Amino acid sequence: MYEHVNLADLEPHDVESADARVKAVGYELRPRKMRPSVWSFDAGGSGPMHYQREQEELYHVLSGAFELAFAGDDGEETEALDLEPGDFVVVSPDEVRQLRCVEAGEVFVVGAPNAKDDGVVVG
C-alpha cells in the first residue's frame, strides 16, 4: 500500500509559533511512524526555540540558506550550524534548537515517531 501527493498541490498554512508557512505532507499522506512537512521561510524568519518530547527530527534544506542554532539548558545559545541546499541534519529530541532563515527558502522536516504537538517551546 502507498500514498502519493505532489508538493505543488498542497496549500501552505501559517504556523502560530513561527515566522513560516508549512505544507503538511504528513496530513495528506497519513504515515503511521513519521511526521513529514515542508516549512517555507522568508529571509529573517525563524521557528521557535524548542525541543521535542520524543521526536527525533531530520532537517533537509531544499532551497535558501538557514542557520540551526542550539542552546543549553539555560536557553543560552551554544552553537549555530550554517545550512545550505542539500544539507541534512538529524537532531535528538532533547536538544534545544531553533531554525533561522538567512535567505528565503524551504526545509523538509521529518519527525519520528509520529507524535502530534510533540514540540516544547522554550522561552
Side-chain angles (χ1 to χ4, degrees):
M1 183 172 162
Y2 69 89
E3 297 294 330
H4 171 264
V5 69
N6 187 290
L7 193 59
D9 296 333
L10 299 178
E11 291 294 322
H13 299 279
D14 290 332
V15 179
E16 187 175 312
S17 63
D19 301 323
R21 296 181 56 76
V22 68
K23 289 186 176 184
V25 176
Y27 183 80
E28 294 296 322
L29 298 179
R30 307 288 184 179
R32 293 186 311 250
K33 298 186 179 192
M34 65 180 119
R35 193 176 176 128
S37 58
V38 173
W39 291 67
S40 298
F41 293 86
D42 291 328
S46 66
M49 183 67 77
H50 74 288
Y51 65 90
Q52 301 293 128
R53 288 186 180 93
E54 62 179 306
Q55 278 188 334
E56 181 175 57
E57 287 184 325
L58 176 135
Y59 297 82
H60 172 56
V61 178
L62 301 174
S63 63
F66 293 84
E67 182 179 76
L68 188 57
F70 297 94
D73 293 338
D74 58 3
E76 292 294 318
E77 188 173 314
T78 58
E79 180 181 1
L81 180 63
D82 292 329
L83 302 174
E84 59 185 36
D87 283 342
F88 287 84
V89 179
V90 173
V91 182
S92 65
D94 58 340
E95 191 76 42
V96 178
R97 73 285 209 152
Q98 180 181 40
L99 188 63
R100 301 175 186 154
C101 183
V102 177
E103 178 184 308
E106 293 185 321
V107 179
F108 179 55
V109 181
V110 179
N114 187 352
K116 185 177 181 180
D117 299 327
D118 187 45
V120 177
V121 175
V122 176

